[in-house]
């Protein structure tokens, strides 16, 4: 059993000043409680224009104990979640890479649960947190659930993706696999998750879905009118680029 001995956590963010302090507190707790684990946290700033960066530097000044474990990476402008994750993953150095959302709707300690409950089959190299498994606990808004179902049906129809849940930001990869997949990622926006599934398939990598405890956090950046349209366009863009290959 090879277990997880070292972990890079990649967290992209864009204009998160309203929620970032709470999340930094949780990240600190995660680092302190996992003393035996080599950890680096890569916060990828996706061109924020608010006081997010200032909040992080204030936090780091006050929290010397975890300062060395937290790195900030900057994108020059707002390129999208896919682009921010790509930058973070390609800069990660430890043997496992976890991607997470800054609102921590899935708590980082979920990974401790996975290890403790023995659900990580270490022969797999990609694990997706999935809100659609019977063991998952999901507290969310109705319209988000509806959008999720619509999105799932559509991505199956257009791209043949059978994954129950591609859109949960909590995903764990073996480092070598993550680097290989993200290096080839073209999608910069929300739809990048779908492309990751296709890239995994292309490399004959199996994705294992695991249960998560997911809580919808207020202050989401999702625009329920514009983002679904962007996602549909994104799906067709992926379809076109993968037809060419």
């Amino acid at each position: 059993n090879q277990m997880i001995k070292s972990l890079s956590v990649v967290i992209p963010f864009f204009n998160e000043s309203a929620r970032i302090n709470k999340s930094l507190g949780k990240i600190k707790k995660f680092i302190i409680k996992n003393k035996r684990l080599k950890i680096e946290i890569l916060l990828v700033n996706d061109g924020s224009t608010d006081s997010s960066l200032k909040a992080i530097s204030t936090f780091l000044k006050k929290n010397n104990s975890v300062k060395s474990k937290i790195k900030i990476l900057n994108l020059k402008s707002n390129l999208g979640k896919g682009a921010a994750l790509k930058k973070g993953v390609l800069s990660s150095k430890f043997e496992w890479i976890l991607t997470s959302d800054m609102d921590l709707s899935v708590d980082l300690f979920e990974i401790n649960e996975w290890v403790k409950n023995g659900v990580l089959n270490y022969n797999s190299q990609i694990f997706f947190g999935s809100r659609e498994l019977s063991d998952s606990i999901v507290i969310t808004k109705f319209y988000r659930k509806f959008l999720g179902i619509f999105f799932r049906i559509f991505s199956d129809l257009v791209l043949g993706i059978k994954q129950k849940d591609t859109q949960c930001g909590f995903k764990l990869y073996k480092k070598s696999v993550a680097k290989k997949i993200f290096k080839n990622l073209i999608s910069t926006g929300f739809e990048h998750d779908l492309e990751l599934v296709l890239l995994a398939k292309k490399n004959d990598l199996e994705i294992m879905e695991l249960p998560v405890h997911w809580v919808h956090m207020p202050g989401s950046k999702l625009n329920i009118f514009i983002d679904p349209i962007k996602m549909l366009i994104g799906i067709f863009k992926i379809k076109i680029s993968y037809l060419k290959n």
Side-chain angles (χ1 to χ4, degrees):
N1 192 346
Q2 63 195 88
M3 291 302 288
I4 292 179
K5 294 189 185 76
S6 68
L7 180 71
S8 298
V9 184
V10 176
I11 307 179
F13 68 93
F14 171 64
N15 290 357
E16 280 288 351
S17 57
R19 307 191 283 189
I20 207 158
N21 281 318
K22 191 178 176 192
S23 295
L24 289 168
K26 287 181 176 178
I27 289 167
K28 176 186 175 179
K29 197 170 135 194
F30 178 73
I31 295 172
I32 290 170
K33 288 251 161 106
N34 284 293
K35 278 210 168 46
R36 287 197 306 239
L37 195 60
K38 273 193 204 146
I39 293 179
E40 61 168 359
I41 311 278
L42 294 97
L43 305 176
V44 189
N45 171 27
D46 187 14
S48 295
T49 52
D50 68 352
S51 59
S52 296
L53 275 176
K54 204 170 152 215
I56 296 171
S57 66
T58 305
F59 173 84
L60 293 179
K61 279 194 194 93
K62 287 184 193 156
N63 291 280
N64 240 341
S65 58
V66 293
K67 192 178 172 181
S68 62
K69 310 260 193 222
I70 298 174
K71 296 191 180 82
I72 302 165
L73 302 173
N74 287 303
L75 294 178
K76 285 191 181 65
S77 58
N78 180 228
L79 297 179
K81 192 176 170 185
L85 280 171
K86 181 173 183 169
K87 185 169 179 76
V89 166
L90 296 181
S91 311
S92 295
K93 62 178 189 209
F94 287 140
E95 94 181 280
W96 289 91
I97 299 176
L98 175 69
T99 64
S100 164
D101 295 338
M102 184 54 100
D103 65 359
L104 301 180
S105 42
V106 175
D107 198 292
L108 295 177
F109 281 104
E110 189 73 62
I111 196 146
N112 298 61
E113 291 298 307
W114 285 356
V115 170
K116 197 172 79 194
N117 299 335
V119 293
L120 284 175
N121 165 0
Y122 292 97
N123 299 328
S124 289
Q125 304 190 301
I126 304 177
F127 303 90
F128 276 18
S130 174
R131 293 162 294 192
E132 298 297 328
L133 299 177
S134 55
D135 293 348
S136 292
I137 298 165
V138 177
I139 299 160
T140 189
K141 298 269 185 281
F142 166 75
Y143 66 85
R144 289 186 74 109
K145 209 167 172 61
F146 175 75
L147 274 180
I149 293 166
F150 170 71
F151 191 62
R152 198 165 98 211
I153 293 167
F154 203 79
S155 51
D156 184 11
L157 277 175
V158 180
L159 300 172
I161 286 175
K162 298 279 180 247
Q163 231 71 31
K164 284 194 171 76
D165 183 10
T166 55
Q167 297 311 109
C168 174
F170 199 83
K171 297 178 167 75
L172 178 69
Y173 306 83
K174 202 73 200 285
K175 177 172 96 173
S176 53
V177 167
K179 300 241 179 199
K180 190 175 183 175
I181 288 178
F182 275 90
K183 200 174 75 207
N184 296 312
L185 182 72
I186 313 163
S187 306
T188 51
F190 280 123
E191 72 287 347
H192 73 275
D193 296 296
L194 295 171
E195 193 189 341
L196 290 174
V197 175
L198 294 179
L199 284 165
K201 219 186 209 164
K202 212 170 160 178
N203 288 287
D204 291 323
L205 295 160
E206 205 175 306
I207 294 169
M208 190 174 170
E209 292 194 73
L210 295 179
V212 287
H213 187 159
W214 194 92
V215 180
H216 170 74
M217 296 293 179
S220 161
K221 297 284 179 305
L222 184 80
N223 178 319
I224 76 159
F225 301 107
I226 295 169
D227 287 325
I229 294 165
K230 278 191 188 163
M231 278 174 148
L232 294 184
I233 294 168
I235 288 176
F236 282 109
K237 270 195 192 150
I238 292 172
K239 174 86 175 165
I240 291 162
S241 63
Y242 278 79
L243 279 176
K244 284 192 305 220
N245 297 343

